[in-house]
Amino acid sequence: MRVFVTGATGFIGSAVVKDLLEAGHQVTGLARSEKSVQVLKAAGAQVHQGTLDDLESLKRGAAEADGVIHTAFIHDFANFEANCKIDSNAIEALGAALVGSDRPLIVTSGTALIHSNHLATEDIVPTASSNPRIASELAARSVAEQGVRVIVVRLPPTVHGEGDHAFIPLLIANAREKGTAAYVGEGLNRWPAVHRFDAARLFKLALEKSSAGTMYHGVAEEGVAFKEIAEVIGRRLKLPVVSKSVPEAAEHFGWFAAFAALDNPVSSKKTQALLGWQPTQPKLIADLDRDSYFSA
């Protein structure tokens, strides 16, 4: 299958590209820089130059493919709402190139959209959210209504592994800066997690096996207590591990305070049953407790 992958040189997308190539698929990756071009060529993929906000380029890339995996997202939380809008526009553009065909479009979303005190399943469909990331799922639904075979993969806040540059490294940097590894309240709020290689395999299986309208959860662990994460960081950095009240957390974590307090237990039982997906990589705490996460 000829597969067009956005975010193809990113933390998750690069692992997706590797899995697809090893499975015998032909891969074309979206590249916005010369460095990305060289990385894709070295991996054995073809190159389609463009950016997420170049909608015509996205349409051309999708039109030439048998399937599309959209993993790209601009992770700039200072402009989060605007970047969510860019993502929804990109999804609509990719979908427009696939109307009238049975070619799949796999869209990436997040489990934080469906956080609650209960174990969230794949069957939950958010209709409203204060989280701007809902724009991606709304765009996916809009494209599906046009007859496109849309599949959504929700990923947890913590996708971990070698090369991680997201929430866990941010927490480590925060602890170094503040001199303490902190958690909110009792620290019992739960973060679901998955290793990037397990996530990549899920995207490949979704491409090969899924029917239209399917929702998957790329979750290997239903919920890791935030205090456990803070304890590893504190031990590794030889810093005190402390509880913060909600007001104190706002001061300590800044804009990240809402994520630090997020309770987001999520199930992937249905995903595993439908696709035969079985996570095999190290779990979050074991993966975090390595030198690579703490090298300066």
Side-chain angles (χ1 to χ4, degrees):
M1 185 183 295
R2 297 170 301 168
V3 189
F4 180 46
V5 180
T6 72
T9 59
F11 180 58
I12 299 168
S14 60
V16 173
V17 168
K18 181 176 182 293
D19 262 24
L20 292 174
L21 289 171
E22 289 178 351
H25 296 287
Q26 298 177 35
V27 179
T28 298
L30 180 68
R32 61 184 175 87
S33 68
E34 184 57 33
K35 180 181 179 181
S36 294
V37 169
Q38 296 308 316
V39 168
L40 284 170
K41 288 181 177 179
Q46 299 179 42
V47 177
H48 180 89
Q49 291 188 276
T51 62
L52 272 187
D53 53 6
D54 184 348
L55 302 184
E56 292 305 315
S57 175
L58 293 179
K59 289 176 183 178
R60 290 194 300 273
E64 296 171 359
D66 299 316
V68 177
I69 298 179
H70 176 52
T71 68
F73 188 81
I74 302 172
H75 292 282
D76 173 9
F77 288 94
N79 297 291
F80 187 52
E81 188 167 355
N83 292 332
C84 290
K85 178 60 176 175
I86 289 172
D87 192 60
S88 66
N89 289 341
I91 291 167
E92 290 172 355
L94 293 166
L98 303 176
V99 172
S101 74
D102 192 42
R103 293 174 290 165
L105 168 61
I106 302 179
V107 171
T108 307
S109 181
T111 65
L113 284 175
I114 53 172
H115 68 88
S116 68
N117 293 324
H118 305 288
L119 192 65
T121 69
E122 295 89 340
D123 297 324
I124 296 177
V125 179
T127 56
S129 174
S130 59
N131 187 337
R133 194 71 162 95
I134 196 173
S136 300
E137 290 200 15
L138 294 177
R141 288 178 222 166
S142 174
V143 168
E145 289 170 358
Q146 300 172 50
V148 178
R149 181 152 67 103
V150 177
I151 300 104
V152 176
V153 175
R154 289 181 182 141
L155 294 178
T158 304
V159 180
H160 56 93
E162 194 76 33
D164 186 357
H165 53 270
F167 284 175
I168 294 297
L170 188 151
L171 284 172
I172 293 169
N174 177 269
R176 282 193 169 112
E177 177 188 349
K178 302 290 185 177
T180 58
Y183 55 90
V184 183
E186 296 181 355
L188 300 180
N189 57 298
R190 295 151 291 181
W191 274 16
V194 69
H195 193 283
R196 65 188 286 251
F197 291 156
D198 284 327
R201 190 166 70 258
L202 174 57
F203 278 100
K204 181 183 76 69
L205 290 170
L207 176 81
E208 295 171 341
K209 297 185 176 184
S210 297
S211 57
T214 313
M215 176 72 66
Y216 296 119
H217 282 175
V219 170
E221 295 178 88
E222 292 181 347
V224 179
F226 192 88
K227 184 178 180 180
E228 292 184 50
I229 299 170
E231 286 173 339
V232 175
I233 293 172
R235 175 168 51 79
R236 277 284 186 163
L237 297 180
K238 297 181 172 58
L239 295 173
V241 180
V242 300
S243 170
K244 297 287 186 180
S245 67
V246 171
E248 289 171 337
E251 173 66 25
H252 182 89
F253 291 110
W255 65 267
F256 191 74
F259 289 101
L262 177 68
D263 189 35
N264 187 211
V266 176
S267 170
S268 64
K269 287 182 180 178
K270 183 177 179 179
T271 296
Q272 294 186 44
L274 287 172
L275 292 179
W277 178 63
Q278 292 294 325
T280 60
Q281 295 297 316
K283 294 185 177 180
L284 175 60
I285 296 300
D287 198 28
L288 171 59
D289 199 5
R290 295 183 299 112
D291 292 343
S292 60
Y293 263 109
F294 297 92
S295 58

